[in-house]
């Protein structure tokens, strides 16, 4: 299978390059700069060298022996490093260029096919190329920098000082498409769902015997991972769904229904009482999360012990999680476990069929495997469930109150056609009581906060500008239908500085 390699020098945008290439139908993989193989296999048709937070004079080296072997696109730091290495000159810029700049094309290049002569690009660098090496041709400039792009045609090197992978670069997708199709000659026919058979075949090799267990949370990743394993090893796979009592209204039934529709064998463990009594009296958010995590492991472990010779644990880890866990070299490395601590505790071999896929690709796999559309389009939902949306004490009454308010908000969003136009939307129950009136009586009641955000990955978010009549209708219904709620507010905070969830 033809593929693109993206060499990661630690830019915050490296993974975005992989994503963009895949969106353009080219399978791409991220390789950390300090763990590169000597040889480039034949299926690699092109290479993109990422940016970096380092400066060209002190940063990590590009693999020089690779240059000229495959068409390559060097971005930002890599463009500067290559220019300096080949005999050009790079210096610190007078003004740190960060943000939008107007790119002017000054020479023809296959990189510029279908590009306007002038367009907005995104810059993020403090060094700049002040002299090109011999054999290099300047392709574009901005008001501040003379060599915003160059090519060294006989080595098939193309270089840009700006970031074509970020959405702020107007013609970014065109530039990347030109590099991949015009210059590297990719066919561009890669689709995630075409990988299903090969993923299943490799799972069969990985699990020749013994049984596998998977914790299904109701989310898309754990479900698609389980489905793939089930297709690979059949009845040797056992799914466990722990009902914590902290899912949204009607969700347990909807989720179990979806599993049934695709023939996924899943054991439901009813543990609502156990979870609610363990959470009784806890108000600290971290302690809530820890309690839920610990109980989850206990319940799951007990189920695993009932099964014959379990050898494997199936997890829905996806590509960004893998990169964040340390395969990459960016500054934001964190360890990641979907079901924290389980594999060590149970001494099981980890099986992660979605390691190489992005979220939207997992959705495409799920669609192809027959999961219902209603299941696939649901908003993201946190592992600890409604517990992180109930500020203060978690009691069965308060869980019901929140669940009811949340269901009303989601129904109103659907009715107005806004469910799919917002990335995540939910209600939060606040412990702060305030005064209200019922008939002629004053009475204290709780507050519901409504939150709807737009985001691409949850890292940053903006409040969704929901229509006023939608918000009014949701508030009116919540106040009328949910007992003990006397006030409804709408959260207008961006992330940062706020987070999406309230706890
Ligand atoms: P925050 O609140 O950190 O949320 O801005 C970003 C995204 O992550 C989800 N989230 C969680 N998901 N376990 C999860 O599986 C958690 O403890 C958790 N906390 C937040 C949140 O719903 C949003 O999509």
């Amino acid at each position: 299978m033809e593929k693109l390699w993206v060499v990661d020098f630690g830019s915050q945008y490296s993974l975005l390059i992989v994503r963009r290439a895949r969106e353009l139908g080219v399978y791409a993989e991220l390789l950390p700069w300090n763990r590169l193989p000597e040889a480039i296999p034949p299926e690699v048709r092109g290479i993109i060298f990422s940016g970096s937070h380092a400066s060209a004079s002190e940063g990590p080296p590009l693999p020089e022996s690779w240059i000229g072997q495959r068409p390559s696109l060097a971005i930002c730091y890599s463009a500067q490093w290559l220019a300096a290495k080949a005999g050009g000159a790079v210096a610190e810029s007078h003004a740190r260029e960060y943000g939008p700049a107007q790119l002017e094309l000054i020479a023809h290049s296959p990189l510029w096919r279908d590009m306007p002569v002038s367009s907005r690009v995104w810059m993020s660098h403090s060094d700049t190329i002040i002299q090109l090496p011999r054999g290099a041709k300047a392709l574009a400039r901005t008001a501040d920098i003379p060599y915003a792009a160059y090519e060294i045609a006989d080595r098939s090197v193309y270089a840009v000082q700006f970031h074509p992978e970020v959405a702020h670069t107007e013609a970014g997708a065109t530039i990347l498409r030109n590099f991949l199709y015009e210059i590297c000659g990719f066919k561009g026919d890669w689709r995630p769902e075409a990988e299903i058979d090969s993923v299943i075949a490799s799972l069969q090799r990985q699990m020749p015997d013994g049984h596998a267990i998977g914790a299904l949370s109701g989310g898309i990743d754990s479900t698609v991972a389980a489905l793939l394993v089930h297709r690979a090893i059949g009845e040797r796979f056992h799914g466990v769904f722990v009902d914590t009592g902290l899912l949204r209204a009607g969700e347990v039934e909807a989720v179990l229904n979806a599993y049934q529709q695709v023939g996924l064998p899943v054991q439901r463990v009813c543990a609502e009482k156990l979870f609610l009594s363990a959470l009784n009296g806890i108000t600290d958010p971290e302690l809530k999360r820890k309690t839920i995590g610990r109980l989850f492991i206990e319940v799951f472990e007990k189920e695993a012990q009932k099964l014959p010779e379990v050898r494997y644990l199936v997890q829905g880890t996806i590509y960004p999680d893998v990169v964040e866990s340390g395969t990459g070299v960016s500054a934001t490395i964190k360890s990641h476990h979907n079901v924290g601590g389980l594999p060590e505790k149970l001494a099981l071999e980890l099986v992660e069929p979605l390691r190489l896929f992005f979220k939207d690709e997992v959705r495409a796999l799920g669609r192809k495997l027959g999961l219902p559309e209603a299941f696939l389009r649901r908003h993201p939902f946190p592992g600890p469930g409604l517990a992180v949306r109930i500020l203060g004490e978690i009691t069965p009454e308060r869980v019901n109150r929140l669940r009811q308010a949340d269901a009303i908000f989601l129904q109103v969003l659907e009715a107005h056609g806004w469910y799919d136009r917002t990335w995540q939307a939910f209600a939060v129950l606040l412990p702060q009581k305030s005064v209200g009136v019922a008939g002629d009586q004053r009475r204290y009641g709780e507050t519901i906060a409504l939150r709807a955000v737009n985001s691409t990955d949850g890292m940053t978010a903006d409040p969704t500008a929901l229509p006023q009549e939608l918000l009014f209708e949701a508030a009116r219904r919540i106040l009328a239908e949910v007992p003990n709620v006397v006030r409804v507010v709408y959260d207008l905070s961006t992330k940062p500085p706020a987070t999406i969830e309230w706890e």
Side-chain angles (χ1 to χ4, degrees):
M1 177 182 59
E2 57 173 27
K3 60 168 86 159
L4 171 82
W5 272 358
V6 176
V7 178
D8 181 15
F9 291 99
S11 152
Q12 55 177 326
Y13 303 130
S14 299
L15 201 57
L16 206 52
I17 306 172
V18 177
R19 215 188 140 95
R20 293 282 175 260
R22 293 201 197 173
E23 281 165 3
L24 290 165
V26 170
Y27 182 74
E29 284 174 354
L30 193 68
L31 277 73
W33 69 269
N34 53 357
R35 269 172 277 157
L36 299 178
E38 279 289 310
I40 309 170
E43 66 270 21
V44 176
R45 293 224 178 148
I47 298 167
I48 295 183
F49 297 108
S50 85
S52 171
H53 40 74
S55 81
S57 52
E58 300 163 353
L62 269 67
E64 283 180 78
S65 63
W66 286 11
I67 306 298
Q69 285 196 44
R70 294 289 187 284
S72 44
L73 176 66
I75 295 175
C76 191
Y77 163 82
S78 294
Q80 294 157 4
W81 192 94
L82 274 180
K85 195 73 191 174
V90 172
E92 215 172 294
S93 0
H94 306 301
R96 182 183 167 87
E97 273 213 305
Y98 185 85
Q102 203 63 24
L103 185 79
E104 308 288 338
L105 307 189
I106 54 174
H108 283 289
S109 164
L111 204 57
W112 299 153
R113 192 180 162 162
D114 297 334
M115 283 270 296
V117 175
S118 171
S119 64
R120 199 188 54 201
V121 295
W122 189 258
M123 292 283 184
S124 171
H125 59 95
S126 48
D127 291 344
T128 196
I129 301 166
I130 51 167
Q131 188 197 324
L132 283 184
R134 278 164 67 113
K137 178 169 92 172
L139 296 181
R141 64 172 172 237
T142 69
D144 293 319
I145 58 173
Y147 308 116
Y150 66 87
E151 70 179 36
I152 306 175
D154 61 348
R155 311 207 75 192
S156 208
V157 168
Y158 296 80
V160 291
Q161 287 211 69
F162 56 91
H163 289 272
E165 69 276 24
V166 306
H168 304 289
T169 296
E170 272 170 354
T174 307
I175 296 170
L176 291 174
R177 179 163 8 90
N178 288 339
F179 174 69
L180 297 171
Y181 289 12
E182 304 291 320
I183 295 167
C184 302
F186 277 102
K187 289 205 284 294
D189 54 2
W190 184 79
R191 298 288 172 273
E193 52 278 29
E195 299 296 306
I196 290 178
D197 290 344
S198 69
V199 171
I200 289 176
S202 95
L203 286 169
Q204 284 164 339
R205 285 193 298 275
Q206 194 185 349
M207 295 184 279
D209 47 34
H211 290 246
I213 188 168
L216 284 110
S217 65
I220 294 171
D221 302 344
S222 63
T223 305
V224 174
L227 260 176
L228 287 165
V229 172
H230 182 243
R231 295 280 160 97
I233 65 167
E235 60 204 27
R236 288 193 285 129
F237 172 76
H238 309 269
V240 175
F241 173 79
V242 179
D243 185 356
T244 59
L246 296 166
L247 289 196
R248 289 170 284 202
E251 197 159 28
V252 173
E253 296 70 25
V255 161
L256 293 175
N257 213 5
Y259 295 158
Q260 206 176 15
Q261 237 175 292
V262 288
L264 193 62
V266 179
Q267 172 77 31
R268 171 184 179 179
V269 184
C270 298
E272 303 95 307
K273 289 216 172 79
L274 189 69
F275 277 83
L276 283 180
S277 68
L279 286 166
N280 190 17
I282 300 180
T283 53
D284 176 67
E286 274 315 295
L287 198 52
K288 282 179 188 169
R289 277 194 170 78
K290 280 205 181 105
T291 306
I292 292 168
R294 174 179 53 79
L295 267 186
F296 185 88
I297 293 179
E298 276 173 33
V299 172
F300 189 79
E301 208 176 358
K302 226 159 128 189
E303 284 310 299
Q305 276 156 5
K306 294 182 194 161
L307 296 170
E309 342 146 35
V310 178
R311 213 180 126 182
Y312 312 98
L313 177 73
V314 182
Q315 283 199 345
T317 319
I318 63 174
Y319 202 58
D321 305 335
V322 174
V323 173
E324 279 191 347
S325 305
T327 322
V329 287
S330 78
T332 53
I333 291 169
K334 67 175 188 202
S335 82
H336 184 102
H337 281 303
N338 276 348
V339 207
L342 266 179
E344 295 84 352
K345 193 110 197 262
L346 298 177
L348 296 173
E349 292 169 41
L350 258 190
V351 175
E352 298 174 317
L354 304 176
R355 279 179 75 79
L356 296 178
F357 296 98
F358 286 99
K359 189 87 183 179
D360 46 342
E361 296 169 349
V362 173
R363 220 173 249 126
L365 299 181
R367 194 167 286 126
K368 185 80 180 173
L369 290 165
L371 282 170
E373 206 53 43
F375 181 89
L376 294 168
R377 67 189 268 266
R378 286 172 314 147
H379 290 167
F381 188 64
L386 297 180
V388 293
R389 296 177 180 172
I390 299 174
L391 277 63
E393 266 195 86
I394 299 175
T395 63
E397 296 74 32
R398 295 192 77 218
V399 174
N400 278 338
R401 206 169 292 157
L402 174 65
R403 196 175 267 144
Q404 234 181 314
D406 188 66
I408 292 172
F409 185 35
L410 297 185
Q411 277 166 23
V412 175
L413 277 170
E414 284 278 14
H416 287 254
W418 273 84
Y419 185 85
D420 290 323
R421 296 169 69 185
T422 183
W423 191 76
Q424 197 173 16
F426 52 89
V428 183
L429 181 63
L430 311 185
Q432 174 63 51
K433 288 202 172 173
S434 62
V435 74
V437 286
D440 294 332
Q441 304 279 322
R442 286 162 73 82
R443 69 172 176 154
Y444 274 100
E446 292 186 315
T447 302
I448 285 286
L450 301 178
R451 179 97 165 119
V453 292
N454 283 332
S455 175
T456 46
D457 49 14
M459 304 292 285
T460 59
D462 290 313
T464 309
L466 292 176
Q468 202 171 314
E469 60 277 14
L470 184 163
L471 287 169
F472 284 161
E473 184 181 330
R476 198 164 48 239
R477 279 194 55 195
I478 290 168
L479 292 171
E481 296 172 35
V482 186
N484 287 318
V485 171
V486 296
R487 218 167 276 275
V488 175
V489 298
Y490 188 54
D491 182 350
L492 293 171
S493 328
T494 53
K495 173 182 180 176
T499 52
I500 295 177
E501 304 289 345
W502 277 48
E503 279 199 335

